[in-house]
Amino acid sequence: MAQLILDTKSHRGRRRGQPRRVFIPLLSLVLVILYANYRVFDVLTQTESSPPPAKGKTDLENSKTDETNENKTEDESMTMTMPAIGFGTAGLGLETKESVKKALQVGYRMIDTAQAPEWYREDLVGLAIEESINVVKRKDVFVTTKIHPRHLGRKGMDMIETSLTNLRTTYVDLVLLHYSECWGNLCSRGEVVPGTWKEAYRELERLVVEFKVARFIGVSNFNANALEELHAFANVQPLVVQMRSDVFAQDQRTMDVCAKYGWRFEAYSSLGSQWWQYKTNPVLNNDVMKSIAARYNVSPALVVLNYAKNVLHQTIIPRSRDRKHMEDILLRLDSFELDDEEIESLKALDGKVPSKD
């Protein structure tokens, strides 16, 4: 009887414990399934929102992409990318407004200007864009302006407020430091607020990160040594380095620095306007240029710009008052391809001082 009682108790104990032993494995299985589903969802989400690195890109190249993305704002109206061809406005004076309007009508979507009244009319650029609203919306025009070296000491919005007013806009796509310092007679006109280019660049970074009135920033007329300093100094890396470049002064050293750090090299005066002391433009009247132009039945100007854009991989901002010239650049610039011999003949012009004959 005692043995029976013991057996009964033992049997009851086993029956009470059996559901517990079944329940624990079932709970573990449910947790495993839930975790697996979560991981699948997590992977799918990452795949959709974060595209993989481009094939063949190194970690360094991918970090450069991240650096460029740091310059972007979250405003959905400010999403335009920088075109490879823009329209320059230096020296157009009172013809600036009509020239910019023609350029926008023809199809240019990037306009370059600056604060310097010696060479530019920011206000007329702004008026032209405003009056072209039926042709193109502001968000579809990439606008560049440049901070005059006399303003290197200005802080925050004080640095850009006048430009925003002149350009009739709430933001600028690209803001450059025009020069690294006041040299020669650059700052002989107007009030000078002294400062260093490093102080000024920190303020440019604030325009992007804090005030969100600039999408991208960069510099102009900085030598290669200053650019190396800039790379180490910058919290927001520059998108663009703008420099004078034509076939006689191609500036390979600066192009090499830009290539090393993933910056754009934007050339101004590609067509030889810096050789103003010559009776005729030595770039457009060069025999090599004219010979190549004749072969492809294009103007020497198109040969120069084709070489700059497609061989040297420069962003270009040619200037013109003539509608036909504007159209030719957009419609015919890529209509021909320079061969190896022609490319070498153009590269050989670099560093040569053209004859004044």
Side-chain angles (χ1 to χ4, degrees), residues 16-282:
R16 286 195 189 100
Q18 187 175 6
R20 185 177 302 167
R21 287 196 297 272
V22 173
F23 176 74
I24 292 174
L26 282 175
L27 178 60
S28 300
L29 179 62
V30 170
L31 290 174
V32 168
I33 292 172
L34 287 175
Y35 178 75
N37 286 335
Y38 166 77
R39 290 300 301 151
V40 170
F41 175 78
D42 186 47
V43 170
L44 289 174
T45 304
Q46 288 180 1
T47 302
E48 292 172 357
S49 62
S50 303
K55 185 178 180 181
K57 278 195 172 185
T58 64
D59 290 339
L60 176 60
E61 288 170 323
N62 289 323
S63 70
K64 289 175 184 175
T65 302
D66 292 338
E67 288 171 350
T68 300
N69 288 338
E70 284 180 7
N71 293 352
K72 294 184 178 180
T73 70
E74 296 178 355
D75 190 333
E76 292 182 356
S77 69
M78 297 158 58
T79 58
M80 185 184 181
T81 56
M82 184 177 183
I85 303 175
F87 184 75
T89 62
L92 290 176
L94 294 175
E95 297 176 87
T96 298
K97 187 179 83 166
E98 290 308 313
S99 297
V100 171
K101 289 176 73 172
K102 281 188 284 188
L104 293 173
Q105 290 166 5
V106 166
Y108 286 84
R109 292 299 179 262
M110 179 165 69
I111 308 296
D112 179 84
T113 186
Q115 293 178 346
E118 304 94 318
W119 310 300
Y120 295 89
R121 288 294 302 270
E122 263 188 338
D123 57 329
L124 296 183
V125 169
L127 196 58
I129 294 173
E130 184 178 74
E131 292 182 4
S132 300
I133 190 65
N134 293 329
V135 175
V136 59
K137 295 179 180 178
R138 164 65 187 93
K139 69 181 182 66
D140 296 322
V141 181
F142 192 99
V143 178
T144 299
T145 195
K146 298 179 276 292
I147 305 299
H148 198 287
R150 71 170 66 96
H151 302 318
L152 290 178
R154 293 189 181 276
K155 304 298 181 184
M157 289 297 293
D158 190 40
M159 177 178 274
I160 197 69
E161 198 72 68
T162 299
S163 292
L164 294 175
T165 300
N166 285 340
L167 293 168
R168 298 165 182 258
T169 186
T170 57
Y171 70 96
V172 179
D173 296 277
L174 175 63
V175 182
L176 308 177
L177 296 183
H178 207 156
Y179 290 89
S180 60
E181 60 182 326
C182 281
W183 56 268
N185 62 356
L186 274 176
C187 299
S188 59
R189 296 174 52 180
E191 178 190 5
V192 176
V193 182
T196 67
W197 70 258
K198 288 185 177 180
E199 291 171 330
Y201 196 84
R202 278 288 180 259
E203 296 306 312
L204 290 192
E205 292 175 332
R206 291 182 67 202
L207 297 183
V208 175
V209 177
E210 181 179 342
F211 299 105
K212 301 188 186 302
V213 293
R215 293 182 60 213
F216 304 105
I217 55 178
V219 296
S220 175
N221 300 305
F222 273 47
N223 63 39
N225 291 334
L227 292 175
E228 292 287 357
E229 280 191 69
L230 173 62
H231 178 260
F233 173 79
N235 293 322
V236 177
Q237 289 293 311
L239 174 71
V240 165
V241 175
Q242 189 183 97
M243 300 291 290
R244 173 262 182 104
S245 178
D246 62 48
V247 290
F248 295 116
Q250 297 178 31
D251 198 359
Q252 187 61 52
R253 188 180 179 197
T254 301
M255 284 189 282
D256 288 344
V257 174
C258 289
K260 179 167 66 172
Y261 296 129
W263 304 338
R264 279 211 197 195
F265 183 103
E266 184 177 50
Y268 69 83
S269 298
S270 304
L271 298 177
S273 59
Q274 292 294 312
W275 301 97
W276 52 268
Q277 67 273 41
Y278 284 63
K279 290 182 180 179
T280 58
N281 186 320

